[in-house]
């Protein structure tokens, strides 16, 4: 209908926030927006990763391509990725991808001179930019000594050596998984669970217990004081329909009504450490806004095509 606005105003509520983890609610929107946000977080938020490796000396047991692949998968701190240029669009280096505006240079030099195996790790990579370095996964308290040395790249024995130069560039997960800032991004519909209290009164305590235990997750429980079945954790429900099937088997169809709220979603986001999980969400929203702006511009072009037909497309080179 002309003149009717379908604009909605989504709301976000943070439930849990850590450096590399965030759990939040997204309400008053539909699944298309929720899924678009999830996909952008996984594949279209830019980060920095090693993209070019020049091996000078490699006498380790791993071949050059193997080491280059391992280097590319090391997550690098990417707070400045949004402001960097893509190497293909950089006019400072004519798309060569080797200038301060679109790349960061790394060096690695390691040689084993003892009989003890030498672990070459991500901490042996030296960066030309102190803001872009391998992510530090070590425990600040220092309890886990195995993680203090960084991500292992290769192991060297006496006399073996590795020297290389690497160039890190900006990219997105759609081009290669090494640029994806997300370890996992999931969302679920918020369940809406209603128990039919009149039918519940017809059950014995043993039947109530049997029905509660039919759920594979701890969604329901029996109140020890009132002996009534209560919903203790609706979000633990996995849409398995086990409690519904159990109620039907007991001859009590309609004992519980479970529906998914179609405008309410619970997101869980874990980052690789390249950027903080909270920043990952904010960057994804910014990228999504840019894509929507591009759609608005294309709509103007489509309207021109409708008015001028093939002439408009021809003038654009289409």
């Amino acid at each position: 209908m002309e003149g009717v606005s379908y604009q909605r105003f989504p709301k976000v509520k943070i439930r849990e926030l850590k450096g590399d983890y965030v759990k939040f609610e997204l309400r008053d929107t539909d699944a298309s927006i929720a899924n678009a946000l999830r996909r952008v977080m996984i594949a279209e938020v830019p980060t920095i990763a090693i993209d070019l490796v020049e091996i000078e000396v490699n006498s380790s047991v791993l071949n050059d391509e193997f080491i280059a692949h391992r280097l590319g998968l090391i997550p690098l701190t990417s707070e400045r990725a949004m402001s960097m240029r893509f190497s293909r669009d950089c006019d400072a280096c004519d798309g060569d991808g080797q200038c301060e505006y679109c790349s960061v240079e790394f060096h690695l030099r390691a040689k084993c001179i003892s009989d003890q195996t030498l672990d070459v790790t991500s901490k042996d990579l030296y960066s030309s930019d102190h803001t872009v370095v391998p992510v530090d996964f070590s425990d600040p308290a220092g309890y886990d000594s195995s993680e203090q040395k960084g991500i292992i790249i290769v192991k060297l024995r006496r006399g073996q050596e590795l020297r290389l130069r690497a160039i890190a560039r900006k990219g997105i997960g759609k081009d290669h998984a090494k640029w994806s800032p997300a370890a996992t991004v999931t969302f679920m519909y918020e369940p809406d669970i209603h128990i039919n209290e009149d039918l519940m009164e017809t059950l014995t305590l043993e039947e109530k217990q049997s029905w509660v235990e039919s759920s594979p997750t701890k969604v329901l429980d029996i109140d020890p004081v009132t002996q009534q079945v209560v919903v203790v954790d609706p979000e633990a429900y996995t849409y398995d329909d086990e409690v519904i099937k159990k109620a039907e088997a007991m001859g009590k169809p309609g004992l519980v009504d479970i529906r998914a709220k179609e405008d309410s979603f619970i997101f869980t986001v874990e980052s690789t450490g390249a950027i903080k999980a909270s920043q990952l969400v904010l960057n994804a929203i910014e990228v999504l806004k840019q894509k929507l702006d591009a759609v608005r511009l294309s709509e103007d072009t489509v309207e021109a095509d409708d008015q001028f037909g093939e002439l408009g497309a021809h003038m654009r080179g289409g």
Side-chain angles (χ1 to χ4, degrees):
M1 294 174 60
E2 190 174 349
V4 177
S5 174
Y6 295 97
Q7 185 177 9
R8 304 181 73 175
F9 298 93
K11 298 180 180 66
V12 174
K13 179 182 178 182
I14 305 295
R15 288 193 177 183
E16 188 176 350
L17 181 61
K18 299 177 184 176
D20 59 355
Y21 176 86
V22 62
K23 187 173 185 178
F24 64 93
E25 300 172 7
L26 178 65
R27 299 181 183 277
D28 298 335
T29 189
D30 55 40
S32 63
I33 296 299
N35 197 45
L37 183 62
R38 181 189 69 86
R39 292 184 59 149
V40 168
M41 279 192 274
I42 293 172
E44 298 195 50
V45 171
T47 62
I48 303 167
I50 290 174
D51 193 41
L52 174 67
V53 179
E54 296 176 354
I55 306 281
E56 297 176 23
V57 178
N58 177 22
S59 54
S60 71
V61 296
L62 300 183
N63 58 48
D64 294 357
E65 292 82 5
F66 204 122
I67 290 174
H69 182 259
R70 290 178 68 81
L71 288 169
L73 294 175
I74 294 174
L76 306 176
T77 53
S78 304
E79 283 80 8
R80 57 170 286 215
M82 291 288 283
S83 60
M84 281 181 66
R85 303 173 184 173
F86 286 103
S87 58
R88 60 179 177 269
D89 302 327
C90 183
D91 52 9
C93 61
D94 295 326
D96 188 38
Q98 298 190 39
C99 73
E100 60 180 319
Y101 300 105
C102 67
S103 65
V104 178
E105 188 170 326
F106 287 84
H107 290 274
L108 187 151
R109 293 178 177 87
K111 185 174 183 179
C112 182
I113 57 174
S114 69
D115 291 331
Q116 188 174 1
T117 301
L118 175 67
D119 292 341
V120 181
T121 73
S122 56
K123 291 196 173 182
D124 295 313
L125 282 167
Y126 294 95
S127 172
S128 62
D129 185 341
H130 70 278
T131 64
V132 181
V133 295
V135 174
D136 185 7
F137 293 103
S138 60
D139 183 0
Y143 294 122
D144 191 354
S145 60
S146 65
E147 294 185 359
Q148 300 297 321
K149 297 179 292 184
I151 300 169
I152 292 180
I153 299 169
V154 67
K155 295 188 177 186
L156 302 179
R157 296 291 288 173
R158 177 185 280 275
Q160 293 180 338
E161 185 179 5
L162 179 63
R163 291 205 312 267
L164 59 86
R165 170 178 172 267
I167 301 295
R169 295 169 178 154
K170 175 181 177 178
I172 59 175
K174 186 182 286 187
D175 295 331
H176 193 288
K178 67 184 178 184
W179 279 300
S180 177
T184 57
V185 181
T186 62
F187 72 84
M188 64 172 288
Y189 289 97
E190 185 177 0
D192 191 14
I193 304 174
H194 293 283
I195 297 173
N196 188 322
E197 298 296 344
D198 293 334
L199 278 176
M200 188 60 66
E201 290 296 330
T202 64
L203 299 181
T204 64
L205 183 59
E206 289 75 14
E207 288 175 326
K208 291 178 182 178
Q209 189 67 41
S210 175
W211 183 67
V212 166
E213 292 175 353
S214 68
S215 175
T217 53
K218 191 70 173 177
V219 179
L220 307 165
D221 204 356
I222 297 178
D223 189 309
V225 178
T226 63
Q227 304 295 310
Q228 297 294 318
V229 176
V230 293
V231 180
V232 292
D233 187 6
E235 292 171 23
Y237 185 66
T238 57
Y239 296 95
D240 47 61
D241 290 344
E242 289 298 324
V243 290
I244 296 175
K245 294 174 184 174
K246 180 65 175 179
E248 292 173 351
M250 296 168 65
K252 304 290 182 181
L255 182 61
V256 65
D257 180 43
I258 304 176
R259 299 185 183 184
K261 296 181 181 178
E262 295 186 356
D263 64 347
S264 182
F265 310 90
I266 301 166
F267 272 80
T268 301
V269 180
E270 294 181 38
S271 78
T272 60
I275 55 177
K276 292 182 178 180
S278 56
Q279 193 62 46
L280 171 57
V281 177
L282 294 174
N283 288 358
I285 293 171
E286 182 62 32
V287 171
L288 195 55
K289 285 168 62 179
Q290 293 172 5
K291 293 172 77 70
L292 290 172
D293 288 340
V295 170
R296 290 193 188 98
L297 291 174
S298 67
E299 283 181 351
D300 295 339
T301 306
V302 170
E303 288 176 4
D305 286 351
D306 290 341
Q307 184 174 357
F308 298 107
E310 294 181 1
L311 178 62
H314 177 72
M315 292 176 66
R316 292 198 330 272

